[in-house]
Amino acid sequence: MDPRQTQHPRFAITIFFTFLCVLLIWWVLPRHNANDIPLPIVTKAVTMLTGNTVSGTVTFTQTSPTGVVTISGSIENLDPSAKRGFHIHAAGDLSAGCASAGAHFNPFGKTHGSPSATARHVGDLGNIESNPDGVASFVFRDSLISLNGPLSIVGRAVVVHAGTDDLGLGGDDESLKTGNAGARAACGVIGIA
């Protein structure tokens, strides 16, 4: 038998198995696409609040993507010794002033409530309290808001209201929507720091 005749089948078999191995390796190895790129973890965000007279700065910190968020800030020119509604609103659009920030951030469609209530908007952060000079300095924590993932507040707005938040206990429909917290005294968009 001529040796050239036996080389053609061996060559074809070698090519076939080489192709099969390459295909198997391609199938087994991980492939990356745009959805596989990890998002950066946000650990700090800040907003500068402005209104007709009320102004201030609020900082949000979160040590892990699923951890509790610490909210700290100082807001000036509030009414002396007063409680004022303090909320995260759904939109970071301030093109028409604080009014364009939309409603409270409420992705679960719940009624308004206190920060400790089981039924509350994600953006319900209760009241801040000013001292006799009209300055509210505060530090508190919230376990529902986040700087990461679907409950992220980054890009949304903080609104300080002109009235006291009744925490959803006012006994009327508006209480269950806004806490009867009144007009919007100051607002600012939350940005990554």
Side-chain angles (χ1 to χ4, degrees):
M1 183 182 246
D2 187 4
R4 288 180 291 178
Q5 290 176 344
T6 59
Q7 287 180 352
H8 287 290
R10 281 188 203 158
F11 180 72
I13 291 170
T14 303
I15 292 295
F16 174 74
F17 280 109
T18 302
F19 175 75
L20 192 60
C21 288
V22 167
L23 186 63
L24 183 64
I25 290 170
W26 175 82
W27 183 66
V28 170
L29 288 177
R31 290 173 295 282
H32 298 284
N33 62 38
N35 295 334
D36 294 337
I37 298 171
L39 296 173
I41 296 171
V42 179
T43 58
K44 187 175 181 183
V46 67
T47 184
M48 302 296 293
L49 299 171
T50 56
N52 288 338
T53 57
V54 176
S55 64
T57 303
V58 180
T59 303
F60 302 87
T61 55
Q62 185 175 31
T63 57
S64 71
T66 58
V68 173
V69 174
T70 301
I71 302 109
S72 60
S74 180
I75 301 172
E76 301 175 343
N77 299 320
L78 296 164
D79 293 333
S81 304
K83 290 183 178 181
R84 294 293 173 246
F86 184 77
H87 308 124
I88 307 297
H89 284 242
D93 175 10
L94 303 182
S95 60
C98 298
S100 55
H104 297 177
F105 180 39
N106 186 20
F108 301 123
K110 297 203 173 190
T111 57
H112 183 77
S114 74
S116 60
T118 53
R120 66 168 263 205
H121 303 148
V122 173
D124 290 346
L125 298 179
N127 289 294
I128 54 170
E129 190 167 356
S130 63
N131 65 19
D133 297 322
V135 176
S137 295
F138 52 89
V139 176
F140 62 95
R141 296 162 54 101
D142 189 81
S143 59
L144 191 53
I145 64 171
S146 183
L147 302 182
N148 299 278
L151 299 181
S152 176
I153 60 170
V154 175
R156 302 186 189 283
V158 172
V159 174
V160 176
H161 289 270
T164 302
D165 185 341
D166 68 18
L167 308 175
L169 304 173
D172 58 35
D173 288 342
E174 194 61 27
S175 176
L176 297 175
K177 292 179 195 171
T178 67
N180 291 312
R184 301 173 184 198
C187 57
V189 177
I190 302 164
I192 297 172

